[in-house]
Structures are given as structure tokens and as C-alpha cells.
């Protein structure tokens, strides 16, 4: 209990320092505030243009895709806020940065998680929130208590899932010394599997995205549950709860991978 | 050896060294290739032709768009950005060459590498699994190649113009990214402009964006007739001249007072 409290107060302290660091360059923040939302608004304009010309995408209307698109971006933004340090594990390894974390009398994974709280990521999340709320209103989503709890579960699960995949791919650097470039591959994958209905892909890829690398749970499955769209997959219980469960399970897995990797760590920097 | 040729060669050799980089970039490209083709297949389900373009043409369009995007690299802007920040730009000005011709030569080197390393794998992958990106005719293909060269010049000059701003303001954050997003949306790299409302199309006719990607691509798939293609290329040349004039003016202005910071 005492250790838990200590970790909690330390997390608060890390958070405070990180926010102060982020505010150090306000002009930087402002330009991210312009460029990040632009990207997502352009993306949704593209979808709008397509649907006006082609009427629907695999039975999904524009409003429904806006819902799915926004939901996907919210968890993307949150994962950028909380997990950005996983993109640079390889630098931390080759620079010998972990030496510093390991000599401290604290859990390394904990320090690693709270090392970087990148609140610039909120500029990613805001447009997602706007598009999501638009999607909610336009598609007639009912704001009942149950639905709101479900949405929260989905956002937590999806953020954890994204973070877990980043952590696992980043931890590969413990063996390979380089992994940062993989991030661009994952980002591309995440973008296209969470911003459009997964049903545009052939069945084989849908299976992969459901059972192997379960990215379909980030926004596609939960959205299809809310709109009652048949995905062709049957799950026991609510898909929102599934997203939560899958996210947490993957996160625990990523912790294990990180810990195993850390044992292989040799400081190769100077 | 001619100094510019030497810089092109150095850039070529350097980028061959990063093999891991090469494979991940290729992976991203291949993912994009499949995603866009599935996307258009889903959109065209039950529909034959939209805006005079059928599914086959549209998929070829997006395959070639990915090819063009992987060929066109203009690192001049990020080059200037990092060099101004670190003060290395002073070193470049000591060299007995024209600095901007040097940056241009480097980008040509990058482009040649890209043609060898990235275009071939993408084209092979597309031909085997998606569609053979065949031009409508030889004439269309030749016009496509010429038009693409002008496209590159326009993109490079835009990039260089943004780069020149860094001399003035030293650091303005991700302004280059905003430019890239604008080009991605307005040049029809993913969704061609002919799907946009007609008022938007009219406005874009007077902006340089559609002459970077959409023009060569729509020549390739035969949506633009040979006659229109020639007119389009005339407008491309016009934009190259406008941007070049702007570039020269701005460059002369900027070079008169360069601030070197850092060590």
C-alpha cells in the first residue's frame, strides 16, 4: 500500500514536469495544433467525397463512418499521449539510457511508462473528438448510461491495445537494437484499419485483424455493435467489453515482453 | 568529376546503406497499395463508372499515385531546416558551388535511388496481386513521363520556397507537414479532384496542386485526352516559371542576410 502511494505521487510529479516541458515551446504547440487536426479533417473530407459519389462503403453511411473514424482517432490521440516513448526505445537502448533507469530504486517499466507524457498528443485527440461527436449526433447515437460506459471501455481498451503493440514492437530493439522505423509500419496499419470499416478488406485479412493482430477491435467492432451492422463474426456478449478485454490482455502481454527484453539489455551506448 | 554529379552519386550510395530503412518503407508502400485497391473495390461494388472512370482505371490511378509519391522526394526543405538550426548551412556556403543547385542535385540522387529501390518492387507487387498498371497508349505514357518531370519541378520549387522561409524564421515547427497535407488532399493523390464538388474543382484549376499528381495520373489512365494533356503541361510550365521567378527573388533577398546560429 505504501509503495503504491509512493508510485502514485511519483507519477503525479513526472506528469507535472512533462507538462511544464511541453509548455516550454508554445509556438511549437500552436503549429502542432494546426497541423495535426488538419490531417484528420482532410481524411474525413476524403470519406465524405467518396460517399457522395459512391453512396455507401460496404453498407456504412457517412455518418456511421464519421463515428468510427472519430472513435479510432480518440484512442490514437490517447496512445500518442501515453505511449510515445515506446517509439524511441531503440534510441534509449543504443544511448544507454536504461542504465539511468535501472540504477534508481524504482520499477523500470513504471519509470519507462511515465518518462514521457506527451500532451501534444491531445492535438491528435481533439479533431477525433469533434468528428466523433458529429458522428454521434448525425447517426442518431443514443447517449444512455450503458452506451457511455461502453464507449469509455472501448476507448480504454483501444488505447491499451495500441500502446501494447507499440511496446511490443519497440521492445524488439532489446534484441535487434533497432525498431523505431517499425513505428511507421504500425502507424500506417493502424490508420487504415481503424478509420474505415474493416469489411472493405477480403475475409482473410479480416480474420487476421480479428484473431492475430486484433486491430478490428479498436473501432470497427464496437461501432458495428452500436449501429447493429452485421460483421459476419459472432462473439459472446458485448463487443465493447471484448475491446476492453483484448486491450488489457495485450497490455499485460506487452509488459511481459518488455520485462523479458530488459533482461537482455546491455548498455551499448557510452 | 563534375561536383553536382558527385553529390548525386554520394547521395545514391548513402541511401543504399540503410537496408532496414528500405524494407520498412517498402512495407508501408505495400500496405498502402493493398489498402487503396481494396478501398476502391469496395467503393465500386455494384457501380460501373463514376465521373467517366471505371474501377480498373481508378485502381491503376492509385497504384501509379503511390509510385509517383515514392519517386518524388524533395528533401531540400528539411535539409535547410536542419542545417539552419544547427548552423551547418554556413559550411554549405563555403563550398565553391551554388548551394541550391547542390540541394537539387542531391534530390535528383535521391530520386534515382527511389526509382531503382522502390518503384520496381511496388510495380512488381501491384502487377502480381492487384492489376498490371498499363498505360492507355504509348503516346499517353510518354506524355505521362514528361508531365511527371514538370510535376517534380513544381513540387521541388514549392519545397525550396518553404525551405527559404527557414532562413528567416529559424524554426516554425511542422509547417512543412501542413504543406504536405495540403498537397496530399488537393493534388488528388488519394481521391482525384473530379470527385469533389464542381465549385471546388473550378477553384483548384487556378492553383498549382492538381498539376503535380492528378494531371500525369489522369493522362496515364486516359481520362485526359492527348490534346488536354498538352494544354495541362503548358500550365505546368507556367507554374514552374512562376515558382522559379519567386524562388530567385526570395533567394536573393534571403542570401543577403543569413544568420548562422549554433556551432
Amino acid at each position: 500500500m505504501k509503495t503504491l502511494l509512493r508510485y502514485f505521487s511519483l507519477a503525479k510529479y513526472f506528469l507535472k514536469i512533462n507538462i511544464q516541458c511541453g509548455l516550454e515551446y508554445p509556438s511549437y504547440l500552436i503549429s502542432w495544433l494546426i497541423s495535426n487536426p488538419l490531417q484528420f479533417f482532410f481524411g474525413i473530407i476524403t470519406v465524405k467525397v467518396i460517399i457522395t459519389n459512391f453512396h455507401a462503403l460496404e453498407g456504412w453511411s457517412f455518418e456511421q463512418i464519421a463515428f468510427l473514424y472519430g472513435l479510432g482517432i480518440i484512442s490514437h490521440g490517447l496512445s500518442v499521449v501515453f505511449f510515445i516513448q515506446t517509439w524511441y526505445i531503440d534510441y534509449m537502448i543504443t544511448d544507454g539510457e536504461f542504465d539511468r533507469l535501472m540504477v534508481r530504486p524504482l520499477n523500470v517499466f513504471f519509470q519507462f511508462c511515465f518518462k514521457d507524457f506527451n500532451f501534444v498528443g491531445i492535438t491528435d485527440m481533439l479533431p477525433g473528438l469533434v468528428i466523433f461527436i458529429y458522428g454521434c449526433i448525425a447517426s442518431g447515437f443514443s447517449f444512455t448510461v450503458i452506451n457511455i460506459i461502453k464507449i469509455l471501455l472501448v476507448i480504454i481498451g483501444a488505447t491499451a491495445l495500441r500502446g501494447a503493440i507499440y511496446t511490443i514492437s519497440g521492445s524488439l530493439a532489446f534484441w535487434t537494437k533497432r525498431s523505431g522505423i517499425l513505428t511507421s509500419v504500425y502507424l500506417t496499419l493502424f490508420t487504415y484499419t481503424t478509420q474505415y470499416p474493416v469489411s472493405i478488406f477480403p475475409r482473410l485479412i479480416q480474420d487476421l485483424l480479428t484473431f492475430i493482430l486484433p486491430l478490428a477491435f479498436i473501432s470497427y467492432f464496437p461501432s458495428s455493435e452500436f449501429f447493429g451492422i452485421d460483421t459476419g463474426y459472432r462473439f459472446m456478449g458485448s463487443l465493447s467489453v471484448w475491446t476492453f478485454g483484448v486491450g488489457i490482455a495485450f497490455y499485460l502481454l506487452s509488459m511481459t515482453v518488455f520485462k523479458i527484453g530488459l533482461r537482455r539489455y546491455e548498455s551499448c551506448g557510452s | 568529376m563534375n561536383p553536382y554529379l558527385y553529390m548525386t552519386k554520394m547521395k545514391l550510395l548513402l541511401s543504399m546503406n540503410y537496408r532496414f530503412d528500405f524494407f520498412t518503407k517498402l512495407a508501408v508502400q505495400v500496405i498502402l497499395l493493398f489498402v487503396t485497391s481494396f478501398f476502391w473495390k469496395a467503393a465500386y461494388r455494384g457501380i460501373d463508372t463514376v465521373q467517366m472512370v471505371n474501377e480498373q482505371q481508378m485502381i491503376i490511378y492509385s497504384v501509379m499515385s503511390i509510385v509517383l509519391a515514392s519517386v518524388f522526394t524533395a528533401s531540400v526543405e528539411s535539409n535547410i531546416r536542419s542545417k539552419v538550426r544547427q548552423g551547418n548551412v554556413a559550411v554549405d556556403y563555403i563550398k565553391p558551388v551554388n548551394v541550391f543547385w547542390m540541394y537539387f542535385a542531391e534530390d535528383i540522387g535521391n530520386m534515382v535511388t527511389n526509382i531503382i529501390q522502390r518503384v520496381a518492387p511496388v510495380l512488381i507487387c501491384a502487377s502480381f496481386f492487384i492489376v498490371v498498371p498499363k498505360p492507355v497508349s504509348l503516346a499517353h505514357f510518354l506524355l505521362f513521363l514528361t508531365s511527371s518531370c514538370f510535376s517534380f519541378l513544381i513540387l521541388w520549387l514549392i519545397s525550396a520556397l518553404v525551405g527559404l522561409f527557414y532562413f528567416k524564421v529559424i524554426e516554425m515547427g511542422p509547417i512543412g507537414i501542413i504543406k504536405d497535407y495540403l498537397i496530399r488532399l488537393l493534388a488528388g493523390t488519394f481521391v482525384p479532384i473530379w470527385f469533389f464538388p464542381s465549385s471546388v474543382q473550378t477553384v483548384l484549376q487556378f492553383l498549382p496542386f492538381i498539376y503535380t499528381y492528378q494531371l500525369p495520373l489522369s493522362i496515364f489512365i486516359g481520362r485526359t485526352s492527348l490534346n488536354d494533356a498538352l494544354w495541362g503541361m503548358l500550365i505546368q510550365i507556367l507554374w514552374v516559371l512562376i515558382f522559379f521567378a519567386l524562388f530567385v527573388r526570395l533567394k536573393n533577398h534571403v542570401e543577403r542576410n543569413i544568420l548562422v546560429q549554433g556551432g
Side-chain angles (χ1 to χ4, degrees):
Chain A
M1 190 63 207
K2 214 171 159 190
T3 28
L4 215 66
L5 270 176
R6 178 154 167 268
Y7 274 99
F8 184 71
S9 69
L10 273 169
K12 261 199 328 202
Y13 193 70
F14 276 131
L15 220 70
K16 198 182 130 207
I17 289 179
N18 271 308
I19 290 179
Q20 283 170 342
C21 279
L23 285 174
E24 205 178 336
Y25 300 104
S27 69
Y28 227 70
L29 196 68
I30 290 166
S31 44
W32 282 117
L33 202 62
I34 299 168
S35 70
N36 273 334
L38 210 62
Q39 173 191 9
F40 298 117
F41 287 127
F42 282 175
I44 198 74
I45 290 172
T46 312
V47 176
K48 175 76 187 162
V49 167
I50 299 270
I51 305 252
T52 339
N53 280 275
F54 295 86
H55 313 303
L57 208 57
E58 291 291 319
W60 289 67
S61 68
F62 172 67
E63 290 76 17
Q64 289 168 338
I65 293 184
F67 180 95
L68 171 144
Y69 191 98
L71 188 61
I73 293 169
I74 291 175
S75 66
H76 165 74
L78 285 175
S79 73
V80 171
V81 171
F82 291 111
F83 299 110
I84 197 143
Q85 67 278 29
T86 55
W87 298 6
Y88 314 114
I89 290 187
D90 52 345
Y91 287 106
M92 291 177 65
I93 289 170
T94 46
D95 287 353
E97 179 98 357
F98 274 103
D99 292 358
R100 211 152 59 93
L101 303 190
M102 282 167 104
V103 292
R104 291 181 189 158
L106 280 174
N107 182 312
V108 178
F109 190 68
F110 167 84
Q111 291 184 62
F112 172 70
C113 287
F114 285 92
K115 186 180 130 358
D116 216 343
F117 176 81
N118 168 39
F119 83 123
V120 174
I122 292 172
T123 60
D124 277 306
M125 206 189 80
L126 284 176
L129 209 60
V130 172
I131 296 169
F132 178 69
I133 290 171
Y134 165 78
C136 284
I137 295 166
S139 64
F141 175 79
S142 51
F143 287 94
T144 57
V145 177
I146 304 248
N147 274 354
I148 290 172
I149 292 173
K150 276 183 179 173
I151 289 289
L152 288 177
L153 282 180
V154 169
I155 291 173
I156 295 169
T159 309
L161 180 59
R162 283 176 190 266
I165 289 168
Y166 288 140
T167 310
I168 292 172
S169 83
S171 299
L172 290 180
F174 284 117
W175 288 274
T176 61
K177 302 281 179 282
R178 259 185 108 179
S179 65
I181 311 180
L182 275 180
T183 309
S184 64
V185 178
Y186 281 106
L187 272 174
T188 321
L189 262 184
F190 280 140
T191 308
Y192 292 103
T193 52
T194 60
Q195 298 183 355
Y196 308 120
V198 171
S199 47
I200 66 169
F201 300 115
R203 182 72 188 198
L204 178 70
I205 295 180
Q206 289 187 43
D207 286 345
L208 286 176
L209 293 174
T210 309
F211 301 114
I212 310 292
L213 197 68
L215 303 182
F217 285 97
I218 290 178
S219 63
Y220 170 64
F221 281 139
S223 308
S224 69
E225 185 194 17
F226 289 119
F227 298 123
I229 293 173
D230 183 30
T231 57
Y233 291 94
R234 297 272 169 279
F235 288 97
M236 296 273 289
S238 164
L239 279 164
S240 313
V241 181
W242 269 95
T243 301
F244 183 72
V246 168
I248 299 299
F250 259 73
Y251 194 69
L252 293 176
L253 178 74
S254 77
M255 265 169 84
T256 320
V257 173
F258 181 89
K259 275 181 189 151
I260 296 171
L262 196 60
R263 260 183 252 147
R264 303 253 331 193
Y265 170 71
E266 48 197 20
S267 58
C268 48
S270 44
Chain B
M1 197 194 253
N2 180 326
Y4 301 110
L5 218 65
Y6 176 75
M7 276 150 197
T8 304
K9 190 188 127 200
M10 282 319 288
K11 210 69 196 178
L12 233 151
L13 289 176
L14 208 68
S15 50
M16 297 262 193
N17 274 333
Y18 299 104
R19 216 171 301 162
F20 195 53
D21 208 58
F22 162 70
F23 281 113
T24 44
K25 274 187 181 148
L26 189 64
V28 170
Q29 223 102 60
V30 170
I31 293 170
L32 264 176
L33 203 63
F34 280 102
V35 168
T36 44
S37 77
F38 291 137
F39 185 88
W40 288 115
K41 275 185 184 145
Y44 269 101
R45 199 150 298 157
I47 299 171
D48 189 42
T49 308
V50 180
Q51 307 282 352
M52 304 187 298
V53 176
N54 62 27
E55 183 187 321
Q56 173 94 354
Q57 281 177 305
M58 199 54 236
I59 292 177
I60 293 181
Y61 181 101
S62 42
V63 169
M64 290 314 288
S65 169
I66 292 169
V67 168
L68 278 189
S70 62
V71 173
F72 292 160
T73 44
S75 55
V76 54
E77 174 206 322
S78 52
N79 226 339
I80 296 178
R81 183 181 171 191
S82 66
K83 281 181 174 166
V84 167
R85 263 185 102 169
Q86 292 164 2
N88 289 341
V89 75
V91 181
D92 281 352
Y93 271 96
I94 293 170
K95 292 173 188 164
V97 289
N98 183 323
V99 175
F100 283 92
W101 275 114
M102 182 177 90
Y103 293 151
F104 188 71
E106 283 183 353
D107 276 332
I108 296 285
N110 279 329
M111 201 160 75
V112 175
T113 324
N114 287 339
I115 291 174
I116 300 164
Q117 286 191 338
R118 301 224 239 140
V119 172
V122 169
L123 281 182
I124 291 167
C125 185
S127 311
F128 269 105
F129 300 106
I130 298 160
V131 68
V132 181
K134 207 162 56 113
V136 200
S137 70
L138 184 67
H140 280 93
F141 181 65
L142 291 176
L143 283 179
F144 162 78
L145 284 183
T146 330
S147 167
S148 301
C149 293
F150 290 129
S151 299
F152 173 72
L153 286 180
I154 296 176
L155 286 171
W156 193 86
L157 283 169
I158 293 177
S159 181
L161 278 169
V162 176
L164 283 179
F165 272 104
Y166 285 108
F167 281 112
K168 271 273 171 231
V169 295
I170 308 292
E171 181 54 86
M172 50 184 169
I175 193 104
I177 300 177
I178 297 177
K179 180 208 76 187
D180 290 344
Y181 291 151
L182 269 176
I183 290 176
R184 204 183 301 167
L185 179 78
L186 299 180
T189 50
F190 180 34
V191 176
I193 301 303
W194 59 72
F195 289 128
F196 282 61
S198 57
S199 53
V200 178
Q201 285 185 45
T202 317
V203 173
L204 288 176
Q205 297 266 303
F206 296 99
L207 293 174
F209 301 107
I210 56 169
Y211 301 102
T212 56
Y213 280 89
Q214 184 171 309
L215 181 72
L217 292 172
S218 69
I219 295 174
F220 192 87
I221 61 167
R223 192 183 185 268
T224 302
S225 67
L226 292 177
N227 200 15
D228 287 348
L230 289 174
W231 275 111
M233 277 156 70
L234 214 63
I235 301 176
Q236 279 189 314
I237 295 171
L238 205 67
W239 276 113
V240 171
L241 292 177
I242 291 172
F243 280 129
F244 187 69
L246 211 65
F247 170 74
V248 170
R249 270 197 80 113
L250 212 66
K251 183 180 88 91
N252 290 340
H253 175 75
V254 163
E255 277 182 346
R256 239 172 277 140
N257 37 29
I258 290 175
L259 172 76
V260 174
Q261 63 157 12

